[in-house]
Amino acid sequence: MSTSRVIISAVLLLSSIATTSAFNITRILEKYPEFTQFNTLLTNTKVADQVNSRKSITVLALNNDRVGEIAGKQEDALKRILSTHIILDYFDVLKLNKLKDTKTLLTTLYQASGTADDQQGFLNVVHQTGGSIVFGSAMKGAPVDAKLEASVLSQPYNVSVLSISKPILAPGIDGALRPASAPPPKAVTAPTPSTTASPPPAASPESDMIADAPAPATESPTSTPPSEAPAPADATPADVTPPPSAAVKQVVSGVSLGLVVALASFL
Ligand SMILES: *[C@@H]1O[C@H](CO)[C@@H](O)[C@H](O)[C@H]1NC(C)=O
Ligand SMILES: *[C@@H]1O[C@H](CO)[C@@H](O)[C@H](O)[C@H]1NC(C)=O
């Protein structure tokens, strides 16, 4: 799924690079006075330039009565919103009606910007049971209720302009309400040190052993170095001290000797 998206994006990108404009969306929309405001927004945000750089495109257009809800947005938000009204493929009504699935994912110009979060750059187009076709953001939980009303113009297979009943607003796209991904998990209580209290770093005992190995010291409990052992005397430590592996030697000869002695005397 995502691989095919990447491939599709790459193909679209490559195809857009070496293109001279096949059309001028500004000039196209100028012929339709009911889209004057939408046209102005496309021009002001420079989305029109990006549209013109494409070969196959569908513009979901809002007439002057419907553009108000987005016209007041900050310019960068407005640009993102307008970009989600541009589908990176040619769809006229005929082609939309031929879509086999009742719900189809469409890639928009906003996805091509690389800054879309999550599914913000995608639209769903849905065939409703009554026969109408609706568009909406592919973001989870977003409404899919912008109804296809009419084909304004189509130049197969380059550019199609479709009139829709309301703006499509992906959750979080205007920067006001972020999707619920932001807050970090609360449970940052420090991991109990007791569980992570690790034995001393593995390297040190060995290097110590090389450095100050009092060598044969612990071959038998009785031959422990006299330096700090006030006579382990009784023979019982035998069952307390583990077999004298190399690692253990160091421990036994070191600090824990006192503990061994203490244990021995306790037993
Ligand atoms: C569509 O674009 C192609 C390539 O850019 C061009 O040759 C063709 O004339 C265009 N078709 C229309 C109807 O504008
Ligand atoms: C598109 O058309 C508009 C209006 O006619 C014009 O101002 C603009 O320069 C044109 N853009 C290109 C790339 O030709």
Side-chain angles (χ1 to χ4, degrees), residues 21 23-28 30 49 52:
S21 299
F23 52 84
N24 180 333
I25 189 66
T26 310
R27 199 171 299 148
I28 286 172
E30 273 174 357
D49 296 338
N52 291 342

Side-chain angles (χ1 to χ4, degrees), residues 178-195:
R178 301 295 296 170
S181 60
K186 260 181 76 176
V188 199
T189 51
T192 50
S194 60
T195 56

